[in-house]
Amino acid sequence: MAERMAVMKHMAESMKTVGEMLNGRREFDAIAVCAGVAALHENRHQARKQFSSETKDHASRASAAVWEKPDDFKAELEGFDAAIKALVAASETDNLDEMRVPFKDVGQSCSSCHEQFRLSE
């Protein structure tokens, strides 16, 4: 569980860093953006592994729907994968404007999954 929480926290930190640059709250740094996007790309693979049947009975913020609706959860993960891949491609242009829509899509994918598969605090 600690590993899953660490992966999710790392993805949230990457989203924050990239988002702040895209929103002008932090100076644009192409290297930091690429590192943040690369971390998202890597962590998406880790996140998928973190929701095995072996972890379903452990206390966490994951709702039972993760395991009760595996096809829906898989579809959310596939949408997240596609959004991340589009963001990776956009980040390779070093153009902020090219990254805005794919970044927004990644954020919407995160929100959609959390709404369906994460318990509220």
Side-chain angles (χ1 to χ4, degrees), residues 76-93:
E76 284 291 335
L77 290 175
E78 289 172 357
F80 184 65
D81 286 351
I84 292 288
K85 287 177 184 176
L87 182 58
V88 167
S91 72
E92 293 170 353
T93 69

Side-chain angles (χ1 to χ4, degrees), residues 1-5 49-67 117 119:
M1 293 311 308
E3 188 175 334
R4 179 164 73 202
M5 291 170 51
K49 295 175 191 175
Q50 299 301 320
F51 291 94
S52 69
S53 61
E54 297 160 359
T55 65
K56 76 177 184 176
D57 294 326
H58 295 282
S60 75
R61 292 184 63 198
S63 78
V66 169
W67 297 277
F117 299 104
L119 300 172

Side-chain angles (χ1 to χ4, degrees), residues 16-76:
K16 180 180 178 186
T17 298
V18 175
E20 287 178 348
M21 288 184 209
L22 293 177
N23 293 326
R25 291 188 305 249
R26 183 185 284 194
E27 185 176 339
F28 178 71
D29 178 341
I31 294 171
V33 166
C34 286
V37 171
L40 286 168
H41 187 260
E42 174 61 29
N43 283 318
R44 86 183 205 285
H45 294 297
Q46 295 301 320
R48 185 181 294 268
K49 295 175 191 175
Q50 299 301 320
F51 291 94
S52 69
S53 61
E54 297 160 359
T55 65
K56 76 177 184 176
D57 294 326
H58 295 282
S60 75
R61 292 184 63 198
S63 78
V66 169
W67 297 277
E68 293 168 355
K69 300 178 181 179
D71 293 338
D72 293 348
F73 186 64
K74 182 180 177 184
E76 284 291 335

Side-chain angles (χ1 to χ4, degrees), residues 92-107:
E92 293 170 353
T93 69
D94 291 335
N95 182 320
L96 283 173
D97 291 329
E98 294 287 326
M99 290 188 287
R100 291 185 201 287
V101 170
F103 180 79
K104 183 178 176 184
D105 292 344
V106 171

